[in-house]
Amino acid sequence: ALALIALISVGCSGKPSRIHPPSINASSAGSAAMEQYDLNGDGKVDGEELEKAPSLKAGLSRLDTNGDGGVSADEVAARIVAWQDSKVGRMSGTLTILANGKPLEGATVTLDPEEFLGDNVQSATGTTDAGGVAMPTIEVAAEDPPGIAPGFYLVRVTKEGMNIPPMYNTETILGVEFAPDALEMEEGITFNLK
């Protein structure tokens, strides 16, 4: 009986179970994104509003399906559904952090999920190497693969002993969309702090 319980808990193959995308209510997230960033109440985030919504701005080419230069609640919801349909629960990607054009070594890079995504998407962190490259990951158990869930994230960069302006951390203007179909995930994303 104990052997059967162990087999059931691990699965028939003995491998860990598939990692699914985090549960996000797409419709609620779309509405919440508008409440947060649609400051003029016209039903979309565009123009100067996008400057205050860096993760939506980063994903604009994939979000703006009607070509109006903005992001609506329905477009945010559709994007979340696309992540969920991909069945990708965790993926890896790199961010390169430069300071005035030079690699910033030893900086902590934190990716905070947008509030409108809800509580099921976790923050990820990584530390830059000598080339300024970080590979953020959520906290995982030893047997789980590292990485980050698909989502819209605010990017915050800090480094002990270095005064990095608030526009790159507490009041960040940096954002990213982690998604299986985001070309920049394959190429890597670079931020140049000035």
Side-chain angles (χ1 to χ4, degrees):
L2 289 176
L4 180 59
I5 291 170
L7 183 62
I8 291 170
S9 66
V10 174
C12 294
S13 68
K15 296 179 184 175
S17 61
R18 178 187 209 32
I19 296 172
H20 297 281
S23 175
I24 303 170
N25 182 314
S27 178
S28 294
S31 297
M34 293 307 105
E35 286 176 29
Q36 185 174 351
Y37 290 121
D38 178 18
L39 304 178
N40 65 9
D42 68 353
K44 64 182 175 180
V45 179
D46 62 357
E48 290 184 20
E49 292 169 333
L50 281 171
E51 298 306 316
K52 295 182 178 168
S55 70
L56 296 181
K57 183 178 178 182
L60 187 62
S61 65
R62 292 172 294 281
L63 280 164
D64 183 18
T65 55
N66 65 3
D68 68 355
V71 178
S72 69
D74 288 343
E75 288 170 327
V76 171
R79 195 71 190 125
I80 293 168
V81 169
W83 303 334
Q84 293 170 336
D85 287 348
S86 76
K87 309 255 189 277
V88 174
R90 196 171 300 150
M91 52 199 236
S92 61
T94 60
L95 290 102
T96 300
I97 307 299
L98 307 176
N100 295 311
K102 297 180 180 175
L104 181 61
E105 183 178 5
T108 299
V109 181
T110 303
L111 276 65
D112 286 328
E114 285 280 8
E115 288 180 26
F116 62 76
L117 294 177
D119 296 330
N120 292 328
V121 183
Q122 296 177 281
S123 292
T125 58
T127 303
T128 56
D129 62 15
V133 178
M135 185 178 285
T137 185
I138 62 172
E139 287 189 32
V140 294
E143 66 274 7
D144 288 339
I148 186 169
F152 294 111
Y153 294 89
L154 299 174
V155 180
R156 304 182 194 281
V157 181
T158 57
K159 182 175 178 181
E160 192 171 329
M162 183 174 180
N163 187 17
I164 297 176
M167 67 190 294
Y168 302 126
N169 43 66
T170 56
E171 300 169 22
T172 190
I173 62 167
L174 307 177
V176 66
E177 180 196 6
F178 261 67
D181 60 348
L183 180 61
E184 56 269 35
M185 297 312 320
E186 294 175 22
E187 298 172 351
I189 301 167
T190 299
F191 294 109
N192 188 15
L193 316 186
K194 298 185 179 191

